[in-house]
Amino acid sequence: MKQIVALLFSVLMCCVSMAQKNITINGATANAAGKHVELYRYSDRLSLQEILVDEMTIGEDGKFKLECYANYPMLVFVQMDNYSQSFYVEPGREYSIWMGKFDWNQDEHRNVYLDPVSLPLEFLNLPKNTIVWEANWQFTILLFLPFLETKI
């Protein structure tokens, strides 16, 4: 009897731990209503095996919500049609992203596999103590530093 109770308790705890969602990505788009959006993560940094963690069809109002679970900051990417964009997420955070007007027919005019096009994601109301904000700030500094230096 004790073994059955222990087994049921273990199964229940596994189900509860798998059902946790501590990262939420709320998104809005200008012209992607009805499209399918997927959220992926990598199994590890060596094999780069992609794991689908959430997916949904964007509503007629252009809004979507993706959720996942993580114990540590991790690299994820949002995939829509042949286009994607990667970014880091942190446990316990909620992210709001905006994707402006986008030409969904670029793959008909050029090879997006040889010359990839990223989704134009913009993070809204991002606190300054997140890894995404810090990475974007460091990138901005590196990008514009040569233009800020003055020659004497």
Side-chain angles (χ1 to χ4, degrees):
M1 181 68 178
K2 288 183 180 182
Q3 292 174 343
I4 293 174
V5 172
L7 178 64
L8 289 175
F9 182 75
S10 299
V11 169
L12 179 65
M13 293 310 291
C14 287
C15 292
V16 169
S17 68
M18 291 182 72
Q20 293 178 352
K21 305 289 185 189
N22 67 348
I23 299 170
T24 304
I25 301 169
N26 296 307
T29 64
N31 64 337
K35 292 205 173 285
H36 192 75
V37 60
E38 300 169 334
L39 180 67
Y40 287 89
R41 70 173 179 86
Y42 294 110
S43 62
D44 57 72
R45 297 297 292 167
L46 293 176
S47 69
L48 294 179
Q49 179 183 4
E50 300 170 355
I51 298 174
L52 178 66
V53 291
D54 201 5
E55 62 183 325
M56 73 170 296
T57 301
I58 298 174
E60 292 301 319
D61 59 354
K63 295 185 178 178
F64 62 92
K65 181 178 184 177
L66 301 169
E67 297 177 319
C68 65
Y69 180 81
N71 291 326
Y72 50 86
M74 68 177 178
L75 182 66
V76 297
F77 65 94
V78 173
Q79 178 83 34
M80 295 173 71
D81 289 346
N82 295 323
Y83 312 98
S84 66
Q85 180 63 37
S86 61
F87 52 93
Y88 282 92
V89 293
E90 295 177 274
R93 298 280 185 180
E94 185 169 326
Y95 299 93
S96 296
I97 57 175
W98 165 252
M99 188 175 64
K101 201 162 180 74
F102 186 71
D103 179 13
W104 294 102
N105 298 319
Q106 292 182 44
D107 57 346
E108 295 176 8
H109 310 294
R110 62 191 248 190
N111 189 333
V112 293
Y113 297 102
L114 296 177
D115 187 16
V117 176
S118 297
L119 289 172
L121 300 182
E122 177 184 345
F123 287 90
L124 307 174
N125 306 320
L126 194 61
K128 292 183 179 180
N129 65 343
T130 64
I131 194 168
V132 176
W133 186 88
E134 184 65 30
N136 287 339
W137 177 248
Q138 294 295 330
F139 178 73
T140 303
I141 289 174
L142 290 174
L143 185 65
F144 292 108
L145 188 61
F147 299 109
L148 296 176
E149 293 178 357
T150 57
K151 300 192 184 228
I152 300 177

